[in-house]
Amino acid sequence: HYLTDVYHGKGDPVRNPFKFALFCIFFPSLVSGPIKRFQPFLAQVEEGLPRPPASKALLGLAQVLLGFFKKLVIADNATMVIHLLEKRTDLTFGPVCLLMALLSVRILFDFSGYSDIAIGLGKMIGLDLPANFNFPYIARNITEFWRRWHMSLSSWIRDYIYIPLGGNRVGLARKFINLMVTMFVCGLWHGASWHFGLWGMYHGAGLALHNLWEKSGTGQKWASWPYSRFLDVAATNVFVAYGWLLFFYPMDQVVKFTRH
């Protein structure tokens, strides 16, 4: 991000190694984000961080406590039930659906909990970090989901992978290839394993299919139906929940879950 933006003239080079190190290793966001950009981050630091008002510091503290609640109470307890389900050898359709739902709960509250802790700690010292989650499970489609899920990563891969590949400025076939490549890289960002890459391509295919559906006459008629939103949200959550199986488990295990 830094090298690309400086090369394209979107920011001045950082001459002070200590400032650059502060941007790189700012501890609250180092492990799980949100992914920050050097321009707004260092601009705040260079202006000097005034002592935040008590109201902002308390809001930050409340967000930190909310983050710990999400992580320790909701996500960790969901993980305990997931481990119990994983030990079963007779998983049928119902338990697999329960597993998908629990994985959805676990990753949202685990990840958004970490983000809340990082953003809240930033507020407590007068530093603003980018928002990372915006109720992703109320998204009406997979495109909207990615505008709400891990937003700092979504905007990062859009700006530094998808748009440089050509983005929406190319033909339909090339656009879909760009989506697949972008989401494959997004999957590998989470870890150098094939199941992460498959998860990324699964979402890339979903984004491509939704793009076709949205532009079709049938899709436009469906969107105008008053009750379509509720079914869209349900379908999007099923699609995302199945994707978490690809994210967390190797392909042979996902095949076993799918057979049930």
Side-chain angles (χ1 to χ4, degrees):
H1 144 64
Y2 170 78
L3 293 175
T4 301
D5 277 10
V6 170
Y7 178 79
H8 290 290
K10 296 179 181 178
D12 295 327
V14 181
R15 306 295 184 185
N16 188 321
F18 296 103
K19 287 182 180 179
F20 189 75
L22 175 62
F23 161 69
C24 290
I25 63 172
F26 181 65
F27 80 93
S29 62
L30 180 61
V31 177
S32 296
I35 300 172
K36 57 195 183 298
R37 311 286 179 101
F38 81 93
Q39 299 95 327
F41 181 85
L42 290 181
Q44 295 179 76
V45 174
E46 288 169 355
E47 291 173 2
L49 296 177
R51 179 179 296 176
S55 58
K56 185 172 183 178
L58 288 173
L59 281 174
L61 177 60
Q63 192 164 1
V64 170
L65 294 175
L66 175 63
F68 276 111
F69 179 83
K70 287 180 176 180
K71 171 71 176 80
L72 300 176
V73 177
I74 301 178
D76 284 0
N77 280 293
T79 302
M80 290 174 58
V81 182
I82 288 169
H83 289 332
L84 292 175
L85 287 172
E86 289 173 338
K87 293 178 181 178
R88 293 183 54 173
T89 58
D90 59 338
L91 285 180
T92 55
F93 179 77
V96 170
C97 290
L98 176 60
L99 177 64
M100 289 165 54
L102 288 169
L103 289 172
S104 299
V105 169
R106 171 194 174 185
I107 193 166
L108 172 64
F109 286 95
D110 187 280
F111 205 173
S112 67
Y114 280 123
S115 295
D116 283 334
I117 293 169
I119 295 169
L121 286 172
K123 286 180 181 177
M124 292 173 70
I125 62 172
L127 188 62
D128 292 323
L129 296 177
N132 221 20
F133 290 88
N134 183 25
F135 302 100
Y137 291 155
I138 66 169
R140 184 170 183 172
N141 52 64
I142 193 62
T143 303
E144 185 183 347
F145 171 81
W146 278 103
R147 292 179 184 141
R148 294 172 174 271
W149 177 272
H150 201 351
M151 295 183 291
S152 62
L153 174 63
S154 298
S155 63
W156 197 96
I157 63 172
R158 179 199 64 205
D159 293 345
Y160 297 102
I161 301 175
Y162 182 65
I163 292 177
L165 286 173
N168 297 329
R169 305 184 306 275
V170 293
L172 190 63
R174 175 68 184 280
K175 178 182 176 180
F176 291 169
I177 292 173
N178 291 345
L179 281 171
M180 295 296 289
V181 172
T182 300
M183 295 309 296
F184 178 70
V185 174
C186 176
L188 293 183
W189 182 88
H190 294 84
S193 297
W194 282 114
H195 66 95
F196 289 125
L198 288 170
W199 171 79
M201 288 193 294
Y202 171 81
H203 275 271
L207 289 167
L209 290 172
H210 170 253
N211 188 274
L212 285 175
W213 169 257
E214 188 177 39
K215 293 180 178 179
S216 68
T218 305
Q220 291 173 5
K221 290 179 181 178
W222 172 263
S224 65
W225 185 47
Y227 301 104
S228 64
R229 177 172 184 84
F230 303 104
L231 295 174
D232 287 344
V233 171
T236 301
N237 276 284
V238 171
F239 179 87
V240 171
Y242 185 80
W244 294 134
L245 294 178
L246 294 169
F247 186 88
F248 283 105
Y249 301 103
M251 196 61 199
D252 58 338
Q253 187 67 40
V254 176
V255 170
K256 290 181 182 178
F257 288 143
T258 305
R259 287 173 179 171
H260 294 301

